[in-house]
Amino acid sequence: MWYSLETIVAWAKRRAFAYPGSEIYGGLANARDLGPYGVELKRNIVDARWKHFVQERNDMVGMDAAILMNPKVWEASGHVSGFSDPLVDCKKCKNRERADKLIEEYIAKHTITIEQVQEKIWVNALAPEARTFEKQTAFLNEFKVKCPKCGACDRTEPKKFNLMFKTQQGVIDGEGKDIYLRPETAQGIFVNFKNILDTTRMRIPFGIAQIGKSFRNEITPGNFMFRVREFEQMEIEFFLENDEEKGLKWLQDRKETSENWWIEKIGIKKDKLRFREHGADELSFYSKGTRDVEYDFPRGWGELQGIAYRTDYDLQQHMKFSGKDLQYNDPITGKRYVPHCVEPSRGLTRAILTAMIDAYDEEEYTNQKGEKETRTVARFHKNIAPVKFAILPLIKKDEKQVEIAEDLFKKLSKLYKCEYDDSGAIGKRYRRQDEIGTPYCITIDQQSCEDGTVTIRDRDTMQQTRVKIEEISL
Ligand code: GAP
């Protein structure tokens, strides 16, 4: 069952998950701010990831690099020369699009036979030759691909558009040094590889994890938080021996680890996930193999996580550009080499979006009067639900009930994010919690004052059970 993106966007705003950025000034295209429940959801996803991949492992450490880095980092990594998309402008309505995306979408919607394809035109939008501007222009003209906004078929030739945000460091106007906002967190790890080796007891194989903001001046951002210009990533660089066979095996083994994490720790539905291997013609220049974890978003399958076997590309490049020796000395074999690296890279912003889409549900049920009603219920996994317990005194004028409820809030909120709500009819309070995905509502009633028990209502089944206060835990 899919709910439209418009439904998710409206609910996310109504229930304080995500607001349009700078809204009182008319907004800023595709910028989003997380609200009180959105930020709890994000913290829970981050915690689930850190616990599973860093805290519970002996072969992983974390770090947090600066967003602003020496510009040479981006020359070495290839981002200055190669991190660009082909940009085309519609001459009629000035709409800006990515040539490769226009072609991909055209091919997805139309059946193109080989006969239709002239010698000079390729069918596979992802083939390496498809990346040349001449071929892209040829395709767009040959198949009269229309502007998605105005329908015209008159556009500029594709031109390279670098996706990095440039800014200036320095206090004197015009004399500052050009620097970039990082387009990925990964390079912060590579440039600290030697620091970590020298200052910790980590030995290969081991991994370094990081979570943080990245910035890309995307030509076609959109689909709510799917493609935005400021987003967060959760990346790991796992360093291995310089052995291609072992690297490819490690890449293969990530399939289960990755899928299981999304399903078991974040609660994403199994049938909405798929694992896709990049064909040889689709690989980034530095990758010997790439697998994506994709989610079935309302507008189609989209990447949630990429796992790339980056070989020794990055460390070699940084050795070349920095002049520093980043080789590893194996303490057992005495071998000296530049380690290879496999990179599982998860989008945190996309994970938040996916968790919201996956959890959102509308359900018809019969109320206590026997009438049919519909409730909105966010079925978040209890690991990531923004609020774990709602504490609801049935009658707010009953001093004893309030005393028990306040005492319970004080105790439980030391361990979990809880909410105290004493306003309105109890049914309405349950609905409010259902909408933000609180797994358990605890109601304090007259019987609580007599025997120290409370009722716990399960969000999904709506069943209530009576338990002793001391027994409550997640
Ligand atoms: N270091 C490798 C790297 O950055 P990527 O496939 O470009 O690889 C990794 O990005 C993940 O970051 C993606 O799977 C996606 O979840 C997220 N991501 C990339 N661009 C994004 C954008 N513009 N908005 C939101 N998330 C994005």
Side-chain angles (χ1 to χ4, degrees):
M1 171 79 194
W2 278 275
Y3 295 94
S4 70
L5 209 50
E6 290 69 26
T7 304
I8 304 293
V9 173
W11 161 73
K13 180 171 181 204
R14 194 173 67 246
R15 301 309 299 153
F17 282 89
Y19 309 122
S22 327
E23 196 179 10
I24 61 166
Y25 289 100
L28 177 72
N30 299 100
R32 298 279 164 184
D33 296 339
L34 293 181
Y37 297 125
V39 84
E40 294 294 339
L41 177 62
K42 176 177 128 176
R43 277 167 46 97
N44 294 338
I45 295 173
V46 165
D47 287 350
R49 190 263 192 170
W50 204 261
K51 185 165 186 295
H52 189 72
F53 291 109
V54 184
Q55 185 183 320
E56 292 175 3
R57 294 183 63 134
N58 205 26
D59 58 355
M60 287 288 308
V61 286
M63 65 158 295
D64 189 6
I67 288 174
L68 301 177
M69 301 177 80
N70 188 309
K72 275 203 171 153
V73 169
W74 307 111
E75 283 173 37
S77 66
H79 283 82
V80 170
S81 57
F83 194 52
S84 49
D85 281 337
L87 174 89
V88 284
D89 286 321
C90 171
K91 287 188 184 161
K92 193 165 167 222
C93 74
K94 310 288 175 227
N95 180 37
R96 294 208 134 160
E97 295 287 339
R98 272 173 63 176
D100 56 334
K101 286 282 162 213
L102 281 176
I103 293 165
E104 244 177 80
E105 279 159 23
Y106 184 89
I107 290 174
K109 277 196 207 137
H110 299 78
T111 317
I112 303 171
T113 62
I114 292 292
E115 294 75 51
Q116 282 174 283
V117 181
Q118 311 288 304
E119 230 192 5
K120 60 182 172 112
I121 301 181
W122 30 264
V123 194
N124 182 359
L126 299 169
E129 65 269 30
R131 293 174 191 161
T132 68
F133 289 174
E134 295 75 33
K135 296 280 180 187
Q136 285 169 347
T137 307
F139 188 101
L140 293 170
N141 292 341
E142 177 70 22
F143 292 101
K144 302 198 172 28
V145 179
K146 291 185 177 141
C147 166
K149 217 167 174 189
C150 73
C153 194
D154 187 13
R155 56 177 64 84
T156 57
E157 300 273 303
K159 58 175 184 266
K160 255 189 178 182
F161 179 77
N162 194 297
L163 300 185
M164 281 199 295
F165 275 100
K166 210 187 246 183
T167 185
Q168 291 228 321
Q169 179 162 287
V171 288
I172 304 169
D173 248 4
E175 285 183 24
K177 189 171 165 190
D178 277 348
I179 53 169
Y180 302 96
L181 301 188
R182 69 178 176 205
E184 61 170 15
T185 59
Q187 297 305 324
I189 298 180
F190 292 121
V191 302
N192 279 290
F193 171 71
K194 192 165 161 35
N195 275 339
I196 289 179
L197 264 190
D198 291 348
T199 56
T200 70
R201 293 172 48 77
M202 301 313 284
R203 291 296 168 258
I204 279 177
F206 77 98
I208 305 173
Q210 185 174 206
I211 297 173
K213 291 238 164 165
S214 293
F215 302 82
R216 295 181 190 177
N217 201 1
E218 299 280 2
I219 298 171
T220 49
N223 287 344
F224 193 20
M225 285 149 66
F226 183 80
R227 193 176 304 287
V228 279
R229 294 188 171 112
E230 175 182 342
F231 58 98
E232 289 185 77
Q233 292 184 308
M234 306 185 283
E235 299 202 291
I236 290 173
E237 305 304 324
F238 204 89
F239 296 97
L240 305 156
E241 257 179 80
N242 59 345
D243 178 330
E244 212 172 296
E245 216 172 287
K246 286 191 183 153
L248 288 169
K249 162 112 184 38
W250 208 88
L251 177 69
Q252 188 58 35
D253 292 347
R254 286 310 90 193
K255 181 180 186 307
E256 245 159 66
T257 321
S258 295
E259 264 182 359
N260 289 351
W261 183 80
W262 287 108
I263 296 163
E264 287 163 19
K265 306 292 177 189
I266 306 298
I268 303 301
K269 294 180 194 83
K270 192 176 170 44
D271 61 348
K272 293 264 185 175
L273 286 175
R274 75 176 184 194
F275 216 70
R276 194 176 69 81
E277 185 168 349
H278 284 211
D281 54 2
E282 208 186 329
L283 291 177
S284 312
F285 59 95
Y286 55 72
S287 177
K288 272 265 155 68
T290 298
R291 316 262 193 280
D292 286 346
V293 178
E294 295 187 333
Y295 182 78
D296 192 5
F297 289 98
R299 307 236 167 116
W301 290 96
E303 181 188 327
L304 198 49
Q305 175 186 357
I307 310 165
Y309 177 23
R310 297 180 77 121
T311 65
D312 60 357
Y313 172 80
D314 301 271
L315 289 181
Q316 291 283 11
Q317 286 294 100
H318 288 303
M319 282 196 5
K320 202 160 105 192
F321 279 72
S322 70
K324 299 283 180 321
D325 184 1
L326 304 178
Q327 291 183 89
Y328 175 74
N329 274 328
D330 191 314
I332 296 162
T333 63
K335 231 173 94 184
R336 194 169 161 73
Y337 58 88
V338 180
H340 280 207
C341 179
V342 177
E343 174 195 70
S345 173
R346 293 174 167 81
L348 172 56
T349 309
R350 259 183 219 175
I352 298 168
L353 171 68
T354 307
M356 292 197 295
I357 291 173
D358 206 65
Y360 184 90
D361 197 10
E362 291 169 16
E363 181 186 54
E364 201 175 75
Y365 71 104
T366 310
N367 68 17
Q368 281 175 340
K369 293 183 203 150
E371 300 153 343
K372 292 247 181 275
E373 275 188 24
T374 303
R375 66 171 183 148
T376 295
V377 52
R379 302 187 193 277
F380 289 117
H381 188 292
K382 65 181 182 182
N383 275 354
I384 62 164
V387 175
K388 312 290 190 219
F389 292 103
I391 295 163
L392 318 172
L394 193 60
I395 300 170
K396 76 170 170 189
K397 286 191 182 139
D398 185 319
E399 281 178 19
K400 185 74 185 150
Q401 285 185 27
V402 170
E403 190 188 317
I404 297 172
E406 285 180 351
D407 190 45
L408 187 57
F409 178 83
K410 254 189 222 152
K411 279 189 194 134
L412 279 184
S413 59
K414 288 200 188 337
L415 300 171
Y416 315 106
K417 177 73 188 156
C418 299
E419 215 164 79
Y420 185 97
D421 185 2
D422 61 5
S423 65
I426 193 72
K428 268 205 171 146
R429 285 187 259 169
Y430 288 151
R431 290 300 90 73
R432 277 205 287 268
Q433 296 300 327
D434 288 344
E435 264 207 272
I436 59 164
T438 306
Y440 303 110
C441 285
I442 304 172
T443 308
I444 294 94
D445 56 11
Q446 187 50 39
Q447 194 176 330
S448 313
C449 306
E450 289 156 16
D451 64 7
T453 61
V454 291
T455 63
I456 296 200
R457 172 186 178 272
D458 182 285
R459 174 196 68 203
D460 296 330
T461 62
M462 295 194 277
Q463 295 299 312
Q464 298 196 28
T465 33
R466 195 163 272 281
V467 298
K468 284 208 157 300
I469 288 182
E470 310 80 69
E471 288 167 8
I472 299 170
S473 75
L474 201 58

